[in-house]
Amino acid sequence: VQLVESGGGLVQAGGSLRLSCAASGSIFSIDPMGWYRQAPGKQRELVATITSGGISNYADSVKGRFTISRDNAKNTVSLQMNSLKPEDTAVYYCNAMVRNAGEMWKVEYWGQGTQVTVSS
């Protein structure tokens, strides 16, 4: 299974960016999918997750500014980031808990990460 991310980049404070992630491979189901981020010198932290049923969960720091969505048929997840702040600067990682075809357990996969930089 591979997770391929797109989006990210440099934006001024108050601006918007959209991240996308596509999962491919021998996939039976993915639950949940989500985004994590890691700033320099800090631990990786949860940004948002979403279940296959559409139930989302957000870090308090991004509530009201970020929106996560997914397309179950395409195995994709997106993160719309609005009102960006300098403290949102980090490498953002796509995450997926995947049940592979023919197996009963889930395996965790990570994308390669995409840089988001918010200038003040």
Side-chain angles (χ1 to χ4, degrees):
V1 174
Q2 285 190 320
L3 303 182
V4 179
E5 299 149 341
S6 60
L10 174 64
V11 66
Q12 288 188 332
S16 298
L17 284 174
R18 184 176 181 86
L19 306 181
S20 296
C21 173
S24 61
S26 180
I27 297 170
F28 178 77
S29 63
I30 307 177
D31 213 353
M33 295 186 82
W35 293 92
Y36 289 69
R37 67 186 181 187
Q38 188 167 18
K42 295 187 177 181
Q43 290 188 330
R44 191 172 297 188
E45 63 178 5
L46 179 146
V47 176
T49 60
I50 186 168
T51 69
S52 58
I55 298 173
S56 57
N57 178 51
Y58 295 93
D60 288 342
S61 59
V62 307
K63 284 180 180 177
R65 300 188 297 122
F66 291 10
T67 302
I68 190 169
S69 60
R70 67 184 283 177
D71 184 327
N72 292 329
K74 297 180 179 179
N75 290 327
T76 60
V77 63
S78 297
L79 185 69
Q80 178 66 41
M81 305 184 292
N82 299 329
S83 302
L84 282 160
K85 305 175 181 180
E87 50 264 44
D88 294 318
T89 296
V91 178
Y92 284 69
Y93 296 91
C94 178
N95 176 273
M97 295 298 296
V98 178
R99 182 180 166 190
N100 299 107
E103 297 180 352
M104 297 299 294
W105 55 87
K106 294 181 183 179
V107 178
E108 185 174 37
Y109 292 91
W110 293 92
Q112 78 282 3
T114 185
Q115 178 71 46
V116 171
T117 303
V118 184
S119 62
S120 58

